[in-house]
Amino acid sequence: MTDFASKKYRNVFLEIGKSQEEIDKKIDEAFETFFYDKEERIYHEAAPDMGYLEDTGNHDARTEGMSYGMMMCVQLDKKEEFDRIWKWAKTYMYMDSGENEGYFAWSCATDGKKNADGPAPDGEEFFAMSLFFASHRWGDGEGIFEYSKEAKKILTACLHKGQNGRAGHAMWNHDNAQILFVPGSPYTDPSYHLPHFYELFALWAEEEDRPFWKRAAEASRKYLVTACHKETGLNSEYANFDGSPMAEDLPWGNFGDFFSDAYRTAANIGLDAEWFGDDKGQLSVPLRMMRFFGTDLEAVRCAYKIDGTPLERPVLHPLGLLSTIAQSALAVPYSDKEKSDFAVARQWVEWFWNQPMRKGGRRYYDNCLYLFALLALSGRYRIW
């Protein structure tokens, strides 16, 4: 395993003048709210030794939130919660037969009953990455807690389903090395592209698959350049393999616009900048987006086409959008602190710092992205 122990991580909050005591307190309070506050928590324990994260807007548990919760826990050294979430996911979400054997059902009721028989690839990639980190931070256990073995099994299914007589479809297009919106689909989701994860899969996945993951990292960085508008930096929720927005309406909505899924792309670019800094042109995207939204925080209150045309519908997750833009400040070097670039990024980080966690029925997605931004901007979203 490559040694990342000596890597230094930026603490952008320190850079803008916050104290370490303030930062640690903010993270601790956010974790307690997210996991244990009786009114506002997302996480719920399930007897005897499991737990799940609830999408409070839809009253289900999703692989998105479950895998996010695992990543939060491994970053914060919360092994008990990590193991509870992983056991719930493996017990209720994992599909051990049929076309999608080896994947996880993307939605389950909070009692564990499957609401779907198909997966969402962003869940699988976060499951695999958090399991590798758990293996390196805590060591492998037995059974489903042999974390590294479980991570490799997930990635093998993601790449090799549909090959050599295996049923189903892979989650990646083998020709262009791009992740798919769902297995077998002819398009992708820009916010699913995590080149910083693929760099690590190229070190830790099954040896035969490592060249593919290295190619996927390169392909995703180049893809994000084409998927993000050259002036606004905005990207669509779903997009074609050439980066152009989805032109057709799907049965559940129009996803060629900059809307909820799409917010994560800038945050992902920021974390990739922090972990690897390999710039294929994508690292300029966050600053373009910040400049597009300008100096009025109200600009994050409505939806847009990727060219910046405002739409009539309001943003469903304004805190999520603010959080991801703030996290993308990791792509703006602190060495530019006397220049206008860092001044722009600093404003977004200040806005984020002063924004409380969301309350109410829609808090799940916003507060997931909020907690990730807290970790990333404090230097606590790390390679383990």
Side-chain angles (χ1 to χ4, degrees):
M1 186 183 93
T2 301
D3 179 18
F4 292 100
S6 61
K7 179 173 173 57
K8 304 297 183 184
Y9 294 86
R10 287 178 68 185
N11 187 330
V12 182
F13 294 137
L14 281 180
E15 293 171 7
I16 67 168
K18 310 304 177 186
S19 71
Q20 191 61 56
E21 182 180 5
E22 288 179 291
I23 297 164
D24 292 343
K25 180 180 178 183
K26 198 172 190 69
I27 293 171
D28 290 344
E29 289 177 350
F31 177 83
E32 287 300 314
T33 298
F34 192 94
F35 278 81
Y36 291 111
D37 183 273
K38 290 183 179 180
E39 297 298 325
E40 303 302 333
R41 64 181 177 174
I42 305 298
Y43 170 77
H44 301 271
E45 290 187 355
D49 54 0
M50 293 186 280
Y52 63 88
L53 281 81
E54 180 188 4
D55 178 336
T56 54
N58 294 287
H59 304 294
D60 64 350
R62 303 183 169 204
T63 53
E64 171 193 74
M66 297 290 283
S67 60
Y68 282 7
M70 288 167 60
M71 182 61 77
M72 294 168 190
C73 289
V74 74
Q75 294 297 335
L76 291 169
D77 199 20
K78 305 289 186 179
K79 186 176 186 299
E80 179 184 345
E81 292 89 345
F82 182 100
D83 286 348
R84 282 177 170 272
I85 297 167
W86 172 235
K87 186 171 182 180
W88 200 98
K90 190 73 173 180
T91 300
Y92 296 118
M93 300 180 128
Y94 186 71
M95 294 178 282
D96 57 9
S97 63
E99 180 175 328
N100 288 314
E101 178 269 329
Y103 292 152
F104 294 76
W106 72 271
S107 171
C108 285
T110 56
D111 64 2
K113 181 179 179 181
K114 291 181 177 65
N115 292 329
D117 59 5
D122 59 333
E124 267 70 5
E125 56 186 353
F126 265 88
F127 277 139
M129 192 76 270
S130 61
L131 286 163
F132 277 130
F133 286 166
S135 172
H136 302 156
R137 187 161 199 185
W138 300 319
D140 283 332
E142 297 180 352
I144 67 168
F145 302 112
E146 190 175 356
Y147 305 122
S148 61
K149 181 179 178 180
E150 293 292 319
K152 289 177 182 180
K153 283 169 57 179
I154 291 169
L155 294 182
T156 296
C158 289
L159 286 193
H160 294 294
K161 286 186 68 62
Q163 298 181 335
N164 302 321
R166 295 188 65 173
H169 299 279
M171 287 188 171
W172 267 261
N173 181 302
H174 282 258
D175 294 330
N176 60 30
Q178 291 185 29
I179 192 170
L180 304 175
F181 172 64
V182 293
S185 68
Y187 56 91
T188 183
D189 180 325
S191 75
Y192 285 10
H193 286 252
L194 306 176
H196 46 303
F197 282 17
Y198 312 152
E199 291 280 4
L200 299 175
F201 294 164
L203 299 175
W204 303 329
E206 297 290 359
E207 191 166 351
E208 67 187 69
D209 295 330
R210 293 177 186 180
F212 177 88
W213 292 116
K214 189 66 177 177
R215 185 161 68 94
E218 178 91 356
S220 282
R221 290 185 178 116
K222 291 180 177 178
Y223 175 77
L224 290 171
V225 176
T226 64
C228 298
H229 193 274
K230 62 183 179 180
E231 294 177 2
T232 65
L234 306 182
N235 62 274
S236 59
E237 289 211 279
Y238 306 161
N240 299 309
F241 294 137
D242 64 0
S244 60
M246 286 281 293
E248 68 210 69
D249 288 351
L250 297 173
W252 57 98
N254 181 346
F255 292 91
D257 301 326
F258 180 72
F259 206 55
S260 300
D261 262 24
Y263 304 162
R264 300 177 294 192
T265 303
N268 296 337
I269 291 172
L271 196 59
D272 186 29
E274 170 73 346
W275 284 7
F276 292 101
D278 185 356
D279 189 9
K280 303 302 181 186
Q282 84 282 4
L283 298 190
S284 66
V285 167
L287 195 58
R288 293 206 306 272
M289 185 182 296
M290 292 174 186
R291 292 191 187 282
F292 162 72
F293 282 111
T295 58
D296 183 1
L297 191 54
E298 288 302 310
V300 304
R301 302 298 178 183
C302 77
Y304 295 88
K305 291 190 174 297
I306 70 165
D307 65 2
T309 303
L311 300 172
E312 293 295 326
R313 56 180 173 163
V315 165
L316 290 179
H317 303 288
L319 178 61
L321 178 53
L322 173 58
S323 300
T324 54
I325 297 175
Q327 181 175 321
S328 76
L330 289 165
V332 182
Y334 183 56
S335 59
D336 292 341
K337 63 181 179 178
E338 302 301 330
K339 300 179 182 178
S340 61
D341 288 357
F342 188 75
V344 172
R346 178 189 183 115
Q347 178 64 78
W348 284 94
V349 177
E350 289 277 10
W351 277 334
F352 170 74
W353 177 268
N354 293 321
Q355 193 73 17
M357 295 179 76
R358 186 169 182 176
K359 297 183 177 182
R362 285 286 182 182
R363 68 187 184 278
Y364 152 78
Y365 187 64
D366 292 82
N367 289 345
C368 282
L369 300 181
Y370 177 92
L371 193 47
F372 275 148
L374 272 184
L375 294 174
L377 292 168
S378 63
R380 294 180 65 178
Y381 199 155
R382 300 179 178 182
I383 300 170
W384 293 96

